[in-house]
Amino acid sequence: MSKLDLISSWEFTDAPESTNHIKLKTRYDLFIDGEFVTPQSRKYFDTTNPATNEVIAEIASANKKDVDKAVKSARKAFKSWSKLAGKERGKYIFRIARMIQERAREFAVIESMDGGKPIRESRDIDIPLAANHFFYYAGWADKLEYAFPNKTPKPLGVAGQIIPWNFPLLMAAWKIAPAIACGNTVVLKPAETTSLTALKLAEIIQESGLPKGVVNIVTGAGNTGAEIVNHPDIDKIAFTGSTNVGKLIQKSIAGTKKKSTLELGGKGANIIFEDAAIDQAVEGIVNAIFFNQGHVCCAGSRLFVQESIAETVIKKLKDRMSSLIIGNPLDKNTDIGAINSKEQLATINKYIKIGQEEGGEIYQSKCSISKKGNWCPPTLFLNVSQSHTIVQEEIFGPVLAIQTFRTIDEVIEKANNTPFGLSAGVWTEKGSKIFKLTQELNAGVVWANTYNKFDPTSPFGGFKESGFGREGGLHGLKAYLKFE
Ligand code: NAI
Ligand code: MG
């Protein structure tokens, strides 16, 4: 079969999403106690569009005093918010959900501009799921006693929440919605490269009439995050990000009364058995590793293909990779957008170099890449084994390491041979294999004949160095409650 050549034989007409409906300020302040306030530091930093590296806006940098002000506001608000009837809390949260839906187009465009993800993904996945999280947890606000029968659930207090740059608005929703549904108040810090949609969410929160101080949003880099972690009046830290920072946070809060949930890195195994529906599995491989440029903690970055079908799968995968469109995140044809930052691109390129130096066989699809901005073509590595650095470490980019296996026991052993334990995928026609693997794989989430599917009703989280605690579903409520 000849290789599909969609690049030279097909030309897609540009289909850019319009940006003329977007309202952005040139400078964004901190959202504390229901108001936008200038930072005590008087310092601002730039947020850029990673597809062009042009500056979009200036973002306030919060220091210790700002964080303290936000925590004080949250503490004050906690007194009344925690006593408000669940039904009333739910109304505010429903309102926020509906307002996100109403402004979904604006949010999707800003998410793609600030973070580099394809507009199709922000429009169809990030923003609708963020609204869904608010809807879902709004529904629980007045039913906590039914969620935990024979117990008296009580909120924890003030939650400090620190989120990453790969799903900016969605991670804000994962954190804020369950926390405030349970009667907690929050101080949230978005990641420094992608603060804009969290600040737009602050506008919605202000407009929704949510009592002042229930949600505070402070922007800044890692040091602002550390001020939240170390603040003495925080009851709970919820963090999503790198395993290294997760470890730092654990050290900082050891011996304090602070509770924590940590959602950290991953190195997901995507396992294709010979009886799988091959074409669907190939789509699943693409979705597992190239979705959101591979900036996904649960990405299927290690592919295990049963030996008897390896040749066919790899051929089909290479064909499929050559049809992926990489480029302008705001174009509706785009499959792979920009790498989130120069720093992240340097990390990915470092790993690609290591992969080659350690003897891996690299394949990259041919695609024209703009000179401006941060780009990485979809990449796969063959001839690698368990000991290769690119098989062991999280790359957080569109880079797939492929290995083969013969038996089910062998693949379980290999899949579990990692410091992480966040996610896995299994592709087979046989239900019994699915059950065996879901039992024996050390992963918080195992997808069967699909990958990267998310739903607010479903708990998400990891084992080992992927962290602890669950977000989503009833488990996600539990992490913001104590039982007396
Ligand atoms: P990071 O873990 O440094 O950043 C995540 C968040 O933590 C950001 O809001 C950041 O400002 C904050 N932060 C940084 N240092 C902190 C500290 N000492 N105390 C409190 N908060 C702090 O991740 P980074 O550097 O942006 O990415 C590095 C690597 O981490 C990536 O290459 C990827 O492998 C991994 N990563 C994993 C994520 C996941 O969802 N599992 C998300 C982001 C990154
Ligand atoms: Mg940005």
Side-chain angles (χ1 to χ4, degrees):
M1 205 173 72
S2 69
K3 200 163 172 284
L4 276 174
D5 178 11
L6 293 178
I7 293 178
S8 56
S9 57
W10 283 55
E11 282 290 331
F12 282 90
T13 308
D14 292 347
E17 171 68 55
S18 147
T19 53
N20 59 13
H21 56 99
I22 300 304
K23 286 187 221 90
L24 279 175
K25 294 188 276 193
T26 50
R27 173 177 264 207
Y28 280 88
D29 286 317
L30 307 171
F31 184 64
I32 298 177
D33 206 35
E35 308 291 338
F36 287 93
V37 295
T38 50
Q40 309 253 349
S41 66
R42 307 273 154 204
K43 286 196 184 121
Y44 291 82
F45 60 94
D46 290 338
T47 193
T48 57
N49 178 341
T52 59
N53 283 326
E54 282 159 10
V55 175
I56 311 176
E58 284 190 329
I59 311 285
S61 175
N63 65 14
K64 192 179 179 119
K65 284 184 189 155
D66 297 304
V67 169
D68 185 54
K69 205 168 140 193
V71 174
K72 286 204 168 95
S73 159
R75 177 60 61 195
K76 191 162 148 247
F78 179 69
K79 290 195 186 80
S80 43
W81 182 249
S82 57
K83 295 203 181 71
L84 193 66
K87 198 172 104 195
E88 297 306 313
R89 290 201 304 270
K91 282 184 198 166
Y92 287 107
I93 306 170
F94 272 123
R95 194 177 299 157
I96 294 168
R98 282 198 302 271
M99 290 170 86
I100 295 174
Q101 281 188 319
E102 279 161 17
R103 288 170 63 176
R105 192 164 161 232
E106 181 190 358
F107 270 89
V109 172
I110 296 173
E111 200 73 305
S112 285
M113 282 170 70
D114 201 16
K117 63 173 68 202
I119 186 72
R120 273 209 329 263
E121 290 176 10
S122 27
R123 183 194 64 192
D124 299 344
I125 299 168
D126 291 63
I127 311 303
L129 267 179
N132 274 349
H133 270 268
F134 281 102
F135 276 123
Y136 175 73
Y137 282 112
W140 276 121
D142 62 347
K143 301 177 195 70
L144 297 175
E145 301 95 278
Y146 303 101
F148 305 100
N150 303 320
K151 290 185 176 152
T152 316
K154 290 260 161 55
L156 298 173
V158 177
Q161 307 181 316
I162 298 161
I163 57 171
W165 40 263
N166 50 348
F167 294 92
L169 183 73
L170 183 58
M171 288 302 107
W174 278 31
K175 297 278 182 283
I176 295 172
I180 65 174
C182 293
N184 302 279
T185 55
V186 309
V187 176
L188 174 118
K189 191 195 86 65
E192 49 272 42
T193 57
T194 54
S195 306
L196 283 176
T197 46
L199 292 162
K200 282 273 159 192
L201 178 64
E203 289 175 7
I204 282 186
I205 286 170
Q206 196 179 38
E207 222 180 294
S208 76
L210 187 78
K212 287 175 186 230
V214 173
V215 173
N216 301 275
I217 297 183
V218 292
T219 44
N223 49 349
T224 308
E227 294 299 350
I228 296 177
V229 170
N230 295 322
H231 196 289
D233 200 28
I234 294 254
D235 299 290
K236 147 128 198 181
I237 295 292
F239 172 76
T240 301
S242 62
T243 296
N244 283 343
V245 173
K247 287 180 182 171
L248 281 176
I249 291 177
Q250 261 196 303
K251 273 190 203 151
S252 309
I253 64 174
T256 71
K257 67 173 172 46
K258 289 172 194 165
K259 292 192 184 313
S260 61
T261 42
L262 303 179
E263 204 266 273
L264 310 174
K267 195 74 188 175
N270 200 9
I271 303 167
I272 321 286
F273 285 98
E274 59 191 2
D275 59 9
I278 304 286
D279 290 330
Q280 282 90 329
V282 169
E283 278 309 302
I285 297 166
V286 167
N287 179 41
I289 185 64
F290 302 132
F291 170 57
N292 198 26
Q293 296 73 248
H295 301 328
V296 184
C297 48
C298 51
S301 49
R302 290 181 301 151
L303 177 66
F304 293 97
V305 190
Q306 200 153 17
E307 205 173 82
S308 53
I309 52 160
E311 208 178 308
T312 315
V313 168
I314 290 162
K315 194 155 175 280
K316 281 177 184 267
L317 179 59
K318 286 180 176 174
D319 273 357
R320 182 68 181 92
M321 279 165 71
S322 69
S323 70
L324 294 173
I325 299 173
I326 170 168
N328 181 6
L330 287 178
D331 192 313
K332 288 166 219 157
N333 294 318
T334 296
D335 297 303
I336 298 182
I339 298 301
N340 186 270
S341 64
K342 281 187 191 149
E343 293 74 24
Q344 188 58 28
L345 181 59
T347 303
I348 297 168
N349 286 336
K350 178 194 81 183
Y351 278 113
I352 291 179
K353 194 158 166 264
I354 293 174
Q356 289 171 289
E357 282 166 3
E358 290 183 0
E361 179 191 326
I362 189 172
Y363 173 83
Q364 290 183 314
S365 52
K366 287 181 197 67
C367 40
S368 57
I369 285 176
S370 163
K371 289 207 172 58
K372 276 198 306 185
N374 317 321
W375 309 98
C376 178
T379 303
L380 56 85
F381 273 97
L382 297 159
N383 279 338
V384 289
S385 59
Q386 294 292 103
S387 58
H388 279 78
T389 307
I390 58 164
V391 174
Q392 286 296 323
E393 296 183 13
E394 182 178 48
I395 302 175
F396 227 60
V399 183
L400 179 65
I402 304 182
Q403 292 175 267
T404 58
F405 68 94
R406 288 183 185 171
T407 67
I408 190 162
D409 290 333
E410 177 192 350
V411 80
I412 291 170
E413 186 85 25
K414 282 180 165 170
N416 286 338
N417 178 10
T418 162
F420 299 107
L422 190 56
S423 61
V426 183
W427 298 79
T428 170
E429 205 181 51
K430 245 181 155 8
S432 56
K433 270 190 210 156
I434 293 173
F435 286 128
K436 183 172 168 66
L437 281 142
T438 46
Q439 290 296 311
E440 295 188 24
L441 290 173
N442 256 325
V445 183
V446 182
W447 285 289
N449 295 324
T450 187
Y451 208 99
N452 275 338
K453 281 269 183 300
F454 304 97
D455 191 284
T457 63
S458 171
F460 184 90
F463 295 114
K464 302 197 280 186
E465 294 209 358
S466 294
F468 50 79
R470 296 291 177 263
E471 296 184 287
L474 281 179
H475 299 65
L477 286 173
K478 211 171 167 185
Y480 285 99
L481 292 168
K482 57 187 174 193
F483 300 95
E484 286 167 351

